[in-house]
Amino acid sequence: MNPKRCAACKYLRRRCPKDCIFAPYFPPNDPAKFACIHRIYGAGNVSKMLQQLPDQTRAEAVESLCFEAKCRVDDPVYGCVGIIHLLQTQVQNAQNELAKTQAEVAVAQTRLSQTQNSDF
């Protein structure tokens, strides 16, 4: 048994075995990380997901689950989709503003060249 239980085992109030699937990804000093994931997905589902993944991709999967769970807690209706929509809207607005500015620059350059040509 590990002398320091991982955050998941502490949260679930169980012993932390040496081969605990949660231990590498939920250190004892960050209990909120597991609590958030457990609230949305459940410990059993997270355990099953991690067991199905290769070892080298598990850390990234945990980070993704954590981000998605936090988004779902913050916005229960839309979760990550709300953030994606917001960012897409911001990108679209920036592209529209860029196109408008480029058109204004083109008009200004045309006027400048016309003014210079009429001076000669």
Side-chain angles (χ1 to χ4, degrees), residues 4-49:
K4 285 192 168 187
R5 295 183 297 170
C6 67
C9 291
K10 280 184 181 179
Y11 186 88
L12 298 171
R13 296 180 180 167
R14 66 180 193 187
R15 292 182 181 171
C16 193
K18 286 185 179 185
D19 62 342
C20 178
I21 191 139
F22 299 120
Y25 315 108
F26 301 103
N29 60 352
D30 192 7
K33 184 176 181 180
F34 180 77
C36 188
I37 289 177
H38 176 65
R39 180 177 173 190
I40 300 300
Y41 299 107
N45 290 328
V46 174
S47 175
K48 287 176 192 173
M49 283 188 255

Side-chain angles (χ1 to χ4, degrees), residues 67 71 74-75 78-96:
F67 177 76
C71 289
D74 293 342
D75 185 355
Y78 294 108
C80 288
V81 175
I83 293 173
I84 292 168
H85 177 69
L86 176 68
L87 293 173
Q88 286 176 334
T89 302
Q90 290 176 352
V91 167
Q92 185 65 45
N93 290 341
Q95 288 173 336
N96 291 342

Side-chain angles (χ1 to χ4, degrees), residues 44-109:
N45 290 328
V46 174
S47 175
K48 287 176 192 173
M49 283 188 255
L50 292 177
Q51 288 173 352
Q52 291 176 355
L53 294 172
D55 290 344
Q56 63 270 16
T57 60
R58 289 180 182 174
E60 192 173 341
V62 167
E63 292 306 313
S64 178
L65 288 171
C66 184
F67 177 76
E68 291 176 26
K70 286 178 183 176
C71 289
R72 184 61 65 181
V73 167
D74 293 342
D75 185 355
V77 175
Y78 294 108
C80 288
V81 175
I83 293 173
I84 292 168
H85 177 69
L86 176 68
L87 293 173
Q88 286 176 334
T89 302
Q90 290 176 352
V91 167
Q92 185 65 45
N93 290 341
Q95 288 173 336
N96 291 342
E97 190 173 332
L98 176 63
K100 181 181 173 184
T101 304
Q102 287 173 333
E104 289 173 359
V105 166
V107 168
Q109 287 176 339

